Amino acid sequence: MVIDFHTHTYPDKIAKSTIDFLVQKGGIKNHREGTLASLVESMHRSGVDYSVSLPVVTKPSQTATVNRISAELNGKDGVFFSGGIHPDTENIEETLDFIKNAGLHGIKIHPDYQGVYFDDERYIRILIGCAERGLYVTTHAGMDIGFPEDTHCTVDMIVRVLDELGPIMDDKLILAHMGSFDKPLEVLEKIAGRKVYLDTAVMLDRFPEECTALIKKHGSDRVLFATDSPWADQAHYVEVLRSLDLTDEEKENILHKNAERILGI
């Protein structure tokens, strides 16, 4: 089994314009059209059994709509949806209650696109609220190519948050891009071994040696296979993960066992 824990989909009516905007802003190439249907087609072609779609709420007014749509689509065609929240959302507690009661596994936050630093008290409140409800939090970590001038979730910020919250966040925080999109060696030094999950999105072929070392030190039981589709090709990353110098048990943990535990599959 293969579970891709980090993908993005956009409503059909805005998918093309959203993709075009992000391609221009980040200077990157999309591998799929960004619709739910295109993700499902990619899964079938790539041998991916399930995917997790992570919405990014870029302004507070989007929060309710994003979570309603995520709840409606969750689990259909093999795609599980995360909830979303903006740190300036007024009804934080009610929103987290809705996400929990809707059966979503957790939320996605993106400090760069939300314009708030990860160790800000607004995020701390959200992290605590999620932990109290048993919800997972996936955060973009490290530099974002659309905002190269200012990283809103650095390794040091993550360490400060983990130190502040202590065991309350144990195994409830998922750091995208192996903990830092641009500084995997700093993650190896400062975060590896702590009780957080790392996802592999767009990292395995950029930093194969560093990622392998990070998996060995951190433990394969806290690493999630992820691609960042439509910004990466699912089939390619499945092949890359399987080519790494890891044991069969480590690969199985990463490809599906850890995600099954989180998603309750």
Side-chain angles (χ1 to χ4, degrees), residues 21-233:
F21 170 76
L22 293 172
V23 165
Q24 182 178 15
K25 182 173 182 57
I28 53 176
K29 174 187 176 183
N30 61 302
H31 292 261
R32 308 298 301 175
E33 293 79 10
T35 63
L36 177 58
S38 70
L39 173 61
V40 173
E41 192 278 330
S42 173
M43 291 163 58
H44 292 164
R45 181 176 60 84
S46 307
V48 173
D49 298 276
Y50 299 100
S51 289
V52 176
S53 181
L54 303 174
V56 177
V57 179
T58 57
K59 50 187 177 181
S61 60
Q62 298 173 339
T63 301
T65 299
V66 164
N67 289 317
R68 175 180 55 79
I69 294 174
S70 292
E72 292 172 354
L73 295 176
N74 188 44
K76 294 183 179 179
D77 298 317
V79 180
F80 291 90
F81 279 74
S82 172
I85 197 166
H86 191 281
D88 290 326
T89 299
E90 292 184 358
N91 53 337
I92 295 289
E93 302 299 324
E94 293 86 348
T95 298
L96 295 180
D97 285 340
F98 176 87
I99 291 168
K100 177 66 176 180
N101 294 334
L104 304 179
H105 74 276
I107 67 167
K108 168 68 184 289
I109 59 175
H110 198 309
D112 290 308
Y113 276 89
Q114 294 175 330
V116 177
Y117 294 107
F118 182 67
D119 53 359
D120 187 281
E121 284 303 314
R122 287 168 286 180
Y123 278 137
I124 298 297
R125 177 187 173 189
I126 290 171
L127 292 172
I128 292 173
C130 286
E132 291 173 344
R133 293 165 174 81
L135 295 171
Y136 291 83
V137 179
T138 298
T139 182
H140 175 89
M143 185 266 289
D144 186 280
I145 55 178
F147 299 88
E149 68 284 349
D150 189 8
T151 299
H152 286 75
C153 185
T154 66
V155 171
D156 285 339
M157 290 178 194
I158 294 167
V159 170
R160 283 197 292 272
V161 169
L162 293 176
D163 288 344
E164 177 177 346
L165 296 184
I168 189 174
M169 282 306 297
D170 280 358
D171 292 328
K172 286 293 183 288
L173 180 61
I174 302 168
L175 305 175
H177 312 298
M178 294 299 285
S180 178
F181 182 85
D182 53 333
K183 293 183 171 63
L185 290 179
E186 190 175 353
V187 178
L188 184 69
E189 176 188 354
K190 298 179 180 179
I191 295 179
R194 301 198 67 159
K195 292 183 178 180
V196 296
Y197 285 95
L198 308 176
D199 89 26
T200 68
V202 297
M203 295 294 285
L204 297 179
D205 58 350
R206 296 171 56 231
F207 301 102
E209 294 182 4
E210 293 87 343
C211 285
T212 301
L214 190 45
I215 290 167
K216 295 289 187 181
K217 183 176 179 180
H218 189 63
S220 66
D221 58 333
R222 288 194 178 94
V223 180
L224 299 161
F225 176 72
T227 66
D228 213 0
S229 176
W231 308 111
D233 180 72

